[in-house]
Amino acid sequence: MDNTIFSLSVRVKTTTNLFIDFVNKNKEQYVITRGYFIGEIIDELANIAHQVDNRTRLQLYDLNIHLENFFREILNILLDIRLENLNNERSNAPGLDLGNSLKGIAFQITSEKKSTKINDTLKTVFDKNIKEYNEIYILIIGHKQKSYTPNKELWDKFNFKKGNIWDINTICKKVIDLPLDRLQSIHQYIKQEVVRVKIELEIPNQEGEFATSIKNYIEVIGKPKFNENALKVYYEYHINKFKIQGEADYCYPLDDIKQAFDFLAKELAKLPRITREFYAFLLERRDENSFEKYGWSRSFYRFNEDKLKRICKYSDIEGEIRLLTKHELIYWEEIERGYEECGIGRNSTEYSYHIYIPGNYENYNYDNFLEDFVDFIDNKNIGYQKPIVNLDFSDF
């Protein structure tokens, strides 16, 4: 065989095999994707049906408009139709919840599955002489009965059959045969709305409280904790420290120290826990030998901004900075470093944060609070998590 023909044959064969492999792989992925979507849709709809069944056992048959709209969207995708909610002030279709007058299709959405409910719905439609809808379905959010006792006159009038009674299983069976794009649309919609639907179906306890409450999503305000001999250890530590330095007269009275700690605890409790963690991190990893105080101004430690960006990968640093700045616990500063600081022939600009402790002379009489507080934590190896984050001052 000519080498050129042989080479071409090999290339065609190779390309064909690669294409077949690609199709097979994507077919497998296609099947897996369908199975995943179908499984999650069936699970979520079954959970909703279970909640509705629990409500019906307590004779709670009411379904709110949110649930009607939830199934309206599912039916619209499932049937490729545009059903509208008929339960509004201008409704001219009592007994029916969803409808498309152009196609003459309407649905009653209910949690009741007995024959009387089916017959009452058809009687209401008949009595009100509703002619727009010649194809009526009952969708039971739950599971329908095995058999029904029809009102033959009404059923014949509307050409209504047992197949017009749907339940969750009917929806699930129809979902299985959907093309992938519509299957994905239903899956996406259910995942977006299912939590709200489940919340709407919750049954309150005897106190009228629901299992899902906004309280469950709100962080509890922290409560500061002090020991019985509040701040005695802290006070004695600093008395001894000042004695060693020959400055015992400069130690602040215990009442002033307590006032400062009370203010600190209350201010920290106003912050979210994650923000307190960020503040504790700033104090713990502050720049070395960075304590500064000028006259009567507030004392502070520094934290270099470039260092912060490199060692902290938390996604919302800016949010924490804004909160701490608002509470006057940090302050951003741009510093021009001169030749003496940076070396001959060089100067630079440094960006850093001042780290403060809450309050000032207007809130308490304790000028050395920040320095003494940090000194005590570091020397006693208490760590910043316990007092700053947990608001636990029992070691002080």
Side-chain angles (χ1 to χ4, degrees):
M1 183 184 291
D2 184 271
N3 286 337
T4 304
I5 297 174
F6 176 77
S7 177
L8 179 60
S9 173
V10 169
R11 287 203 300 272
V12 169
K13 224 174 183 182
T14 303
T15 303
T16 304
N17 290 335
L18 287 173
F19 177 74
I20 292 171
D21 288 343
F22 172 80
V23 170
N24 288 335
K25 287 178 182 177
N26 281 273
K27 182 179 179 182
E28 182 182 355
Q29 182 64 37
Y30 176 80
V31 172
I32 292 172
T33 301
R34 283 190 63 83
Y36 172 76
F37 288 154
I38 291 169
E40 290 217 327
I41 290 169
I42 290 174
D43 286 347
E44 296 295 6
L45 292 180
N47 289 335
I48 291 171
H50 178 69
Q51 277 189 275
V52 172
D53 282 342
N54 287 339
R55 290 177 66 87
T56 56
R57 290 191 189 98
L58 297 173
Q59 297 186 347
L60 299 172
Y61 298 109
D62 58 308
L63 296 177
N64 61 37
I65 195 167
H66 183 80
L67 198 63
E68 292 172 1
N69 289 334
F70 175 74
F71 281 99
R72 178 194 65 190
E73 294 306 313
I74 291 175
L75 290 169
N76 281 342
I77 300 171
L78 189 67
L79 305 175
D80 195 18
I81 194 173
R82 289 181 64 105
L83 295 168
E84 295 182 354
N85 197 310
L86 303 175
N87 289 321
N88 55 52
E89 295 177 1
R90 298 171 295 171
S91 174
N92 60 355
L96 300 175
D97 297 314
L98 309 175
N100 183 317
S101 57
L102 293 177
K103 296 200 173 185
I105 297 176
F107 280 83
Q108 160 75 211
I109 309 296
T110 182
S111 60
E112 299 181 61
K113 58 185 176 182
K114 295 182 178 179
S115 298
T116 52
K117 175 62 179 178
I118 309 300
N119 294 328
D120 287 348
T121 296
L122 296 177
K123 187 175 187 305
T124 300
V125 175
F126 179 77
D127 289 346
K128 297 298 180 180
N129 195 28
I130 301 171
K131 298 178 179 178
E132 292 95 331
Y133 308 103
N134 50 35
E135 195 174 344
I136 295 175
Y137 295 88
I138 310 293
L139 174 57
I140 299 166
I141 311 305
H143 302 289
K144 62 185 179 182
Q145 299 177 157
K146 291 183 179 179
S147 63
Y148 282 89
T149 304
N151 179 323
K152 193 171 186 313
E153 180 184 353
L154 288 172
W155 285 44
D156 290 345
K157 173 73 176 177
F158 291 101
N159 195 27
F160 191 87
K161 298 179 175 60
K162 187 181 176 182
N164 290 59
I165 304 172
W166 291 13
D167 63 2
I168 291 297
N169 286 338
T170 312
I171 299 288
C172 292
K173 288 175 183 176
K174 291 183 178 295
V175 159
I176 292 173
D177 295 325
L178 283 178
L180 185 59
D181 58 338
R182 283 161 62 192
L183 182 67
Q184 186 174 6
S185 295
I186 287 185
H187 175 267
Q188 185 177 1
Y189 177 73
I190 289 177
K191 296 303 285 185
Q192 287 174 348
E193 297 294 324
V194 71
V195 172
R196 185 178 294 276
V197 170
K198 289 178 179 178
I199 290 172
E200 296 289 349
L201 291 172
E202 285 179 354
I203 301 169
N205 60 22
Q206 292 180 342
E207 287 74 36
E209 297 177 342
F210 292 87
T212 304
S213 169
I214 192 66
K215 292 187 295 184
N216 301 335
Y217 299 92
I218 298 175
E219 185 177 309
V220 177
I221 297 175
K223 293 183 179 179
K225 178 183 176 182
F226 291 90
N227 60 26
E228 293 181 0
N229 300 313
L231 305 174
K232 205 86 178 281
V233 176
Y234 179 88
Y235 179 64
E236 290 176 355
Y237 171 82
H238 286 293
I239 282 183
N240 293 331
K241 178 182 173 182
F242 278 108
K243 281 181 179 178
I244 293 171
Q245 295 173 350
E247 299 175 345
D249 293 340
Y250 290 97
C251 188
Y252 287 87
L254 181 58
D255 287 342
D256 289 346
I257 292 174
K258 285 182 177 180
Q259 187 178 6
F261 269 91
D262 284 342
F263 188 84
L264 167 66
K266 288 176 183 177
E267 291 301 303
L268 289 176
K270 295 176 183 177
L271 297 171
R273 176 192 54 79
I274 194 71
T275 306
R276 295 200 300 271
E277 284 191 23
F278 189 75
Y279 178 62
F281 151 71
L282 292 178
L283 278 174
E284 186 172 18
R285 301 285 292 273
R286 65 193 182 274
D287 295 349
E288 290 185 8
N289 304 316
S290 64
F291 180 77
E292 294 185 31
K293 183 178 181 181
Y294 302 110
W296 291 99
S297 64
R298 295 171 71 189
S299 56
F300 60 89
Y301 287 97
R302 289 189 182 277
F303 201 115
N304 183 274
E305 185 181 44
D306 291 322
K307 181 177 80 172
L308 175 62
K309 291 177 180 178
R310 283 162 176 75
I311 67 174
C312 181
K313 304 303 180 185
Y314 177 53
S315 61
D316 193 23
I317 290 179
E318 291 184 2
E320 305 304 341
I321 293 294
R322 285 194 299 271
L323 270 173
L324 292 175
T325 302
K326 176 180 171 58
H327 286 264
E328 298 183 351
L329 294 176
I330 62 171
Y331 173 77
W332 182 83
E333 183 184 27
E334 178 181 341
I335 311 165
E336 293 290 342
R337 297 294 187 187
Y339 294 142
E340 293 82 3
E341 295 174 284
C342 300
I344 297 174
R346 294 175 56 202
N347 63 1
S348 68
T349 302
E350 180 184 333
Y351 304 101
S352 67
Y353 293 98
H354 294 190
I355 311 169
Y356 298 108
I357 206 163
N360 53 37
Y361 68 91
E362 294 179 351
N363 308 113
Y364 48 77
N365 182 31
Y366 188 7
D367 290 343
N368 294 341
F369 190 17
L370 175 60
E371 187 178 18
D372 290 350
F373 179 74
V374 169
D375 173 65
F376 181 80
I377 290 175
D378 289 348
N379 280 284
K380 293 289 186 178
N381 293 316
I382 294 171
Y384 291 84
Q385 171 80 21
K386 196 172 181 180
I388 300 292
V389 182
N390 301 338
L391 305 179
D392 185 350
F393 299 91
S394 56
D395 291 328
F396 284 70

